[in-house]
Amino acid sequence: MTPVAKRNAVVHLCETHGVSQRRACDVLQIDRSTVRYLSRRGDDTDLRDAIKRVSRERRRFGCRRIHVMIAREGFEVNHKKVRRIYREEKLQVRRRGGRKRALGTRKPMVLPDGPNQRWSLDFVSDALTDGRRFRILAVVDDFSRENLVLVADTSLSGQRVARELDKVIAERGMPKTIVSDNGTEFTSMAILKWVQETDVDWHYIAPGKPQQNGFIESFNGKLRDECLNGEIFYSLREAQIIIERWRNHYNTKRPHSALGYRPPAPEATIPVDQRPVMH
């Protein structure tokens, strides 16, 4: 029994049978100091409200990321207190079922040692309330983990992918390598022509091996879990606005565990020898 349950049992026995506290403690074999204990905890109302607010805003954030977020707001509190309040308010994130585990030996992915060295591309699909499907083109810098672009549309051809890549390159420069699967958009004549003109090293992963493109797969899981699964899109324009808003939050505010709980966007300016090692 917890101390709270023990105190409640003593109170119930005293009120129901009219016995003294000493007699109730003797019968229940409970130390009287446990019953008479008065909590010395301070008023955590502001902290509790902040934790619940962040949890409502980011429903798929766990205790550690919530701790990082409230620390940015000026709350000087250790992770143990945050975890206690997190559990008391029953804010635990519900798991969405199991996932497949790779068999055999697993080796850590080799990280690039600078921004714009390797980009990862992939598509994510979703649907509007009227049943119309749309797709999202995601591009991630594997060094900084920054999401470079999220394009949502009902049609994303190889030509559209090439145009979106040109826009990103105009702002950030040319990558050395681009990694993608063997989807029809990425193997189209438009992309093959674009690769020939830009002289970018485009690497295709082995068929049926998404783990070879683990950075973008990890990002897709966060996008699905924290944004797409929690939103209802009534129109394509609404979906584009909400997805772009989430992208800005992901790049500038969301704590990334592989980056020492820093947001991805500022990571490109951090020297290589100061970056955390991913295992």
Side-chain angles (χ1 to χ4, degrees):
M1 293 177 63
T2 64
V4 175
K6 292 179 180 180
R7 285 192 287 269
N8 291 337
V10 171
V11 172
H12 173 75
L13 197 61
C14 293
E15 293 179 350
T16 304
H17 299 282
V19 298
S20 65
Q21 186 183 88
R22 182 188 299 273
R23 177 59 177 164
C25 290
D26 290 340
V27 172
L28 297 176
Q29 296 183 347
I30 297 175
D31 197 305
R32 292 179 66 194
S33 63
T34 300
V35 178
R36 294 186 173 184
Y37 173 77
L38 297 178
S39 176
R40 298 179 181 178
R41 289 178 180 172
D43 186 7
D44 296 328
T45 303
D46 293 340
L47 175 62
R48 193 177 296 267
D49 290 343
I51 293 174
K52 291 191 291 185
R53 172 174 50 77
V54 174
S55 180
R56 286 194 303 268
E57 294 173 354
R58 301 294 163 183
R59 290 170 292 189
R60 301 302 298 176
F61 273 19
C63 179
R64 288 179 294 179
R65 284 195 172 87
I66 290 179
H67 178 227
V68 174
M69 297 296 288
I70 64 172
R72 293 178 183 172
E73 299 180 8
F75 288 96
E76 297 182 0
V77 57
N78 62 27
H79 67 280
K80 293 183 287 186
K81 187 170 186 177
V82 174
R83 184 177 297 276
R84 173 177 60 79
I85 297 176
Y86 181 81
R87 289 178 174 176
E88 290 176 354
E89 297 295 336
K90 295 179 171 55
L91 301 175
Q92 291 89 337
V93 177
R94 182 177 299 177
R95 294 186 179 273
R96 296 190 185 275
R99 62 186 180 94
K100 295 180 180 179
R101 299 287 181 177
L103 300 178
T105 304
R106 299 183 64 187
K107 296 181 179 179
M109 293 187 67
V110 179
L111 285 172
D113 56 6
N116 282 359
Q117 291 197 6
R118 188 176 68 207
W119 294 356
S120 298
L121 277 67
D122 201 5
F123 283 105
V124 182
S125 63
D126 207 343
L128 305 176
T129 53
D130 59 7
R132 286 188 298 160
R133 305 291 300 181
F134 67 92
R135 306 180 76 194
I136 305 168
L137 170 65
V139 182
V140 172
D141 187 311
D142 292 349
F143 174 79
S144 66
R145 316 300 172 84
E146 183 179 0
N147 174 226
L148 306 181
V149 68
L150 275 181
V151 180
D153 210 334
T154 54
S155 177
L156 290 170
S157 63
Q159 293 180 343
R160 178 69 180 279
V161 172
R163 290 200 304 270
E164 295 298 334
L165 288 175
D166 286 335
K167 293 179 182 178
V168 180
I169 290 172
E171 296 179 0
R172 305 182 63 91
M174 187 74 68
K176 293 183 178 180
T177 305
I178 292 179
V179 183
S180 75
D181 57 22
N182 295 269
T184 55
E185 295 84 2
F186 299 140
T187 57
S188 64
M189 291 300 298
I191 290 297
L192 296 178
K193 181 181 178 181
W194 184 87
V195 171
Q196 186 176 11
E197 293 175 349
T198 57
D199 198 27
V200 172
D201 177 24
W202 195 297
H203 175 75
Y204 294 99
I205 64 174
K209 298 289 185 179
Q211 63 270 23
Q212 294 181 2
N213 203 8
F215 291 101
I216 193 67
E217 293 294 338
S218 175
F219 173 80
N220 290 346
K222 297 178 178 67
L223 171 63
R224 175 78 63 186
D225 190 36
E226 298 176 9
C227 180
L228 302 183
N229 286 348
E231 299 288 347
I232 298 177
F233 304 121
Y234 294 94
S235 67
L236 179 61
R237 181 56 181 162
E238 180 186 22
Q240 292 170 340
I241 293 174
I242 293 176
I243 291 171
E244 181 63 20
R245 185 185 304 151
W246 181 86
R247 187 184 82 90
N248 291 332
H249 181 274
Y250 175 88
N251 284 336
T252 60
K253 295 182 180 179
R254 183 189 185 278
H256 201 300
S257 58
L259 304 177
Y261 290 98
R262 294 187 297 269
E267 185 68 13
T269 61
I270 296 178
V272 178
D273 57 355
Q274 297 182 15
R275 287 173 53 81
V277 178
M278 179 181 177
H279 298 284

